[in-house]
């Protein structure tokens, strides 16, 4: 029997429906917290001289969810982490796998190609299961580190700036935008 972990309620519902239609033996389909890492901590990313991250701080919800999942593993033959096929999805899958480190059950990654029946059929095909968590997560890690560096540079009064908004902020600083009041009529 399989234990499925995903990171969104819509994915949980679609996967649950798909697995029931296919009559696959599943213990449960669980939703993981949206973020494994603790947000808002300026020291959340610690890099060594080779730009390798050596410390991560986990959010309490992720640690709690890991304890609950470990309690369900007695009858499971595998854990499948099903997240989107994107840099963010790769990082999230790797972080979930790290939270579950030490369990005796093998952990696999499934890249969700979509939520239609045919897309889930391709995603859950046994040959698409992977244990290659770290390699796929490197791009997402690099993006997160760069975003963090940008945010530490362009933060004003607690307002965090992402990559797109930093361009806007820097242009506003050089040439402030005129502010106009708009009125809407019914």
């Amino acid at each position: 029997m399989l234990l499925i972990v995903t990171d969104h309620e819509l994915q949980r519902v679609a996967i649950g429906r798909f697995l029931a239609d296919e009559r696959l033996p599943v213990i449960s389909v669980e939703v993981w917290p949206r973020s494994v890492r603790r947000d808002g901590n300026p020291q959340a990313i610690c890099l060594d001289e080779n730009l390798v991250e050596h410390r991560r701080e986990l959010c309490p919800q992720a640690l709690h969810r890991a304890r609950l999942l470990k309690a369900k593993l007695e009858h499971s033959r595998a854990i499948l982490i099903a997240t989107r096929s994107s840099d963010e999805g790769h990082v999230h899958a790797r972080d979930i796998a790290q939270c579950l480190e030490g369990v005796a059950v093998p952990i696999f990654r499934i890249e969700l190609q979509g939520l239609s029946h045919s897309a889930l059929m391709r995603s859950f095909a046994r040959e698409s299961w992977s244990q290659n968590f770290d390699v796929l997560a490197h791009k997402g890690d690099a993006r997160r580190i760069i975003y963090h560096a940008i945010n530490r540079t362009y933060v004003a009064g607690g307002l965090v700036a992402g990559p797109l908004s930093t361009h806007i902020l820097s242009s506003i600083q050089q040439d402030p935008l005129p502010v106009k009041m708009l009125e809407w009529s019914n």
Side-chain angles (χ1 to χ4, degrees):
M1 299 221 314
L2 302 172
L3 175 62
I4 314 294
V5 180
T6 189
D7 60 358
H8 196 279
E9 180 62 21
L10 290 175
Q11 292 170 349
R12 186 195 67 76
V13 170
I15 291 169
R17 194 176 316 122
F18 166 76
L19 296 172
D21 289 348
E22 293 297 314
R23 292 179 170 68
L24 292 172
V26 174
I27 291 176
S28 65
V29 181
E30 302 284 334
V31 177
W32 194 270
R34 288 296 296 161
S35 178
V36 171
R37 295 171 187 276
R38 182 181 296 252
D39 293 329
N41 182 350
Q43 301 303 320
I45 296 179
C46 293
L47 304 175
D48 64 17
E49 62 278 354
N50 296 315
L51 300 178
V52 174
E53 190 172 13
H54 59 87
R55 184 177 138 256
R56 64 188 174 112
E57 197 170 330
L58 302 176
C59 72
Q61 297 93 339
L63 296 173
H64 177 69
R65 176 54 75 195
R67 282 192 295 276
L68 292 176
L69 287 179
K70 287 177 182 179
K72 293 184 176 191
L73 293 179
E74 184 178 337
H75 301 292
S76 180
R77 67 178 172 89
I79 299 171
L80 303 181
I81 301 172
T83 58
R84 289 174 289 147
S85 181
S86 67
D87 292 342
E88 180 184 337
H90 298 318
V91 170
H92 203 182
R94 191 269 326 273
D95 287 350
I96 293 169
Q98 287 178 346
C99 287
L100 297 172
E101 268 179 348
V103 299
V105 177
I107 302 172
F108 296 94
R109 161 93 161 102
I110 293 176
E111 294 182 42
L112 293 176
Q113 306 298 314
L115 297 180
S116 69
H117 190 84
S118 60
L120 288 170
M121 184 75 82
R122 287 189 308 275
S123 299
F124 276 84
R126 181 64 175 97
E127 61 272 4
S128 68
W129 296 11
S130 168
Q131 290 183 305
N132 188 12
F133 292 99
D134 288 333
V135 172
L136 293 174
H138 285 316
K139 284 184 187 176
D141 283 338
R143 178 178 290 133
R144 183 176 44 81
I145 290 167
I146 290 167
Y147 286 6
H148 186 72
I150 290 170
N151 287 340
R152 288 185 76 163
T153 304
Y154 291 100
V155 174
L159 178 65
V160 179
L164 177 60
S165 50
T166 56
H167 294 298
I168 296 168
L169 286 176
S170 64
S171 67
I172 290 173
Q173 184 178 11
Q174 293 170 3
D175 187 18
L177 296 174
V179 177
K180 295 182 181 179
M181 185 165 213
L182 298 175
E183 292 184 27
W184 297 94
S185 61
N186 293 352

